Amino acid sequence: MSHRRRSAPAALTEFARYLRTETVGGVVLLVAAAIALVLANTPLSSVYTAVRDAELGPHFLHLDLTVGDWAKDGLLAIFFFVAGLELKRELTLGELSQVKAAILPVVAALGGMVVPAAVALAVAWGDPRAGDVWAVPVATDIAFALGVLALVGSGMPSSARVFLLSLAVVDDLGAILLIAILFTSGFNLIAAAVAAALLGLYAYLQHRRVTSAWIYVPLAVAVWIAVHSSGVHATVAGVALALLTRVKKDPYEREAPALRLEHRLQPWSAGLAVPVFAFFAAGVPLDGEAIGQLTSDKVVLAVFAGLVVGKLVGITGAALLAVRLKLAVLPPDLGKRDLVAVAMLGGVGFTVSLLIAELALDPADAELAKAAVLIASAVAALLAAALLTGRGRARRRNAEGTARPASAD
């Protein structure tokens, strides 16, 4: 019996470690989206819709949200909190702590937002929905993109992962800022002030080295409720809390709070938060009429072109321009062709693009935009996989050539 008590926590720890691996996170995300697509296009679609639209939560706090909204506003806040923690750690202690190294993914991310938005706007030009659809292809899905890189990019240098992670987090934060600015309705100044005060308290407690979860969990929930009540999209709360979390450990600590929280919450983010959101966001009905629109509707074409073409051109072009102007430097082990292969992964929009599609467009157009996001993300992932595989083979050939002994003549 004691053996069972000892083995259960060990099994849970091993399962959590398994969920932390990027390949598994990407696979779980894809499976959730695939199940949603199947349910939305079978006789079970009414059950799927009823569950997604069921309301839960207290009315007096204006939290009587649908299950789909809880996934979009609540669970994604965990995802952005974890992503923000990793970004702050890289900026403070990691490879991005050097200014020129940090500038490269930031500039690349800006290019990867501006160019896809411009491409989408150009493709949709003349359509009354052009002013709404341009924001959909600005974001890169962290979990999905890193999952593809982990799966097929074994021959790539470690700097490729750091670059992709930083780029994805920065442009997702940019997308969240767009959400906060463009999709804030009925801004409540009092609630925003309460959120700012609670964030100040969180920062003070971090400074005073308070570590009790009994204080931080209720405080984080209160910040989320205040941000939600302010009219700003609630996922901003996760980003704000992450950026205020301490990343440098004291001499007496085994690990810093940011690393400890990232370690504990990553399995919940990868195994629950992102897949549940994908499950409720990716259930797009694809009847004959919808399939016909996928090849002709300007919203679909704009999103597809923005993600597949705009991301590649924007990320690669901005990064190489920054290097040419000596504003930034490429990592020593990351070549220009490697950069192109990684930039193609930027077209995997998925999570945040689905979120923006829901916020920016009316329900009928949002369904088309989400279908376009799913197709474009799949195409970008396949193209990136081919490029990464090719670069891995080329690198191995170069390494073998370098290692081969010189001829005797």
Side-chain angles (χ1 to χ4, degrees), residues 111-113 115-121 123 133-134 136-141 144 171 294 299-317 339-350 353 369-385 387:
M113 294 178 67
V115 175
V119 168
L121 193 60
V123 172
V133 74
W134 64 267
V136 176
V138 301
T140 296
D141 186 276
F144 196 170
D171 80 357
L294 291 179
V299 162
V300 176
L301 298 176
V303 172
F304 185 89
L307 285 173
V308 176
V309 179
K311 279 288 185 182
L312 176 64
V313 173
I315 292 169
T316 306
L339 179 69
V340 172
V342 176
M344 192 69 249
L345 279 174
V348 180
F350 216 80
S353 290
K370 289 195 290 184
V373 169
L374 296 175
I375 295 169
S377 296
V379 170
L382 290 172
L383 291 174
L387 291 171

Side-chain angles (χ1 to χ4, degrees), residues 36-337:
L37 278 172
V38 170
L39 291 177
N41 291 280
T42 64
L44 292 173
S45 60
S46 58
V47 177
Y48 171 81
T49 304
V51 173
R52 184 191 62 196
D53 297 340
E55 290 191 356
L56 299 172
H59 177 71
F60 71 96
L61 289 174
H62 304 290
L63 293 177
D64 46 340
L65 308 175
T66 66
V67 173
D69 285 337
W70 275 112
K72 177 175 63 181
D73 295 350
L75 290 178
L76 277 192
I78 299 173
F79 165 72
F80 278 106
F81 179 69
V82 173
L85 288 174
E86 188 157 4
L87 176 65
K88 185 175 181 182
R89 188 160 52 79
E90 286 293 343
L91 288 171
T92 306
L93 303 172
E95 294 187 32
L96 301 180
S97 57
Q98 300 297 320
V99 175
K100 283 199 172 184
I103 287 176
L104 184 68
V106 171
V107 171
L110 291 174
M113 294 178 67
V114 173
V115 175
V119 168
L121 193 60
V123 172
W125 193 258
D127 191 291
R129 301 164 296 177
D132 298 320
V133 74
W134 64 267
V136 176
V138 301
T140 296
D141 186 276
I142 300 170
F144 196 170
L146 288 176
V148 174
L149 181 62
L151 191 63
V152 299
S154 58
M156 299 293 285
S158 61
S159 59
R161 181 192 178 278
V162 175
F163 174 78
L164 178 62
L165 169 69
S166 308
L167 179 148
V169 172
V170 170
D171 80 357
D172 276 0
L173 293 180
I176 286 296
L177 287 177
L178 285 179
I179 290 169
I181 295 168
L182 300 178
F183 307 115
T184 294
S185 57
F187 184 69
N188 187 322
L189 185 59
I190 295 175
V194 171
L198 292 172
L199 287 168
L201 176 59
Y202 180 89
Y204 174 76
L205 292 173
Q206 285 287 299
H207 176 70
R208 298 294 297 176
R209 302 316 194 248
V210 175
T211 59
S212 174
W214 294 102
I215 296 175
Y216 282 121
V217 172
L219 179 58
V221 172
V223 169
W224 182 88
I225 292 173
V227 171
H228 181 273
S229 300
S230 73
V232 177
H233 198 269
T235 50
V236 173
V239 177
L241 289 166
L243 295 179
L244 293 173
T245 302
R246 185 164 56 89
V247 296
K248 293 182 179 179
K249 73 183 185 72
D250 291 327
Y252 59 86
E253 291 180 309
R254 291 180 57 189
E255 53 189 7
L259 186 60
R260 183 170 62 251
L261 286 168
E262 187 183 328
H263 185 79
R264 291 179 179 178
L265 292 177
Q266 176 61 31
W268 292 100
S269 175
L272 177 68
V274 175
V276 170
F277 167 76
F279 177 77
F280 288 114
V284 181
L286 296 174
D287 53 21
E289 181 181 352
I291 293 173
Q293 287 178 302
L294 291 179
T295 59
S296 59
D297 192 278
K298 281 196 171 184
V299 162
V300 176
L301 298 176
V303 172
F304 185 89
L307 285 173
V308 176
V309 179
K311 279 288 185 182
L312 176 64
V313 173
I315 292 169
T316 306
L320 293 179
L321 181 62
V323 171
R324 187 175 183 83
L325 295 176
K326 301 188 184 306
L327 299 173
V329 292
L330 278 173
D333 56 353
L334 190 71
K336 292 179 181 179
R337 293 182 182 179

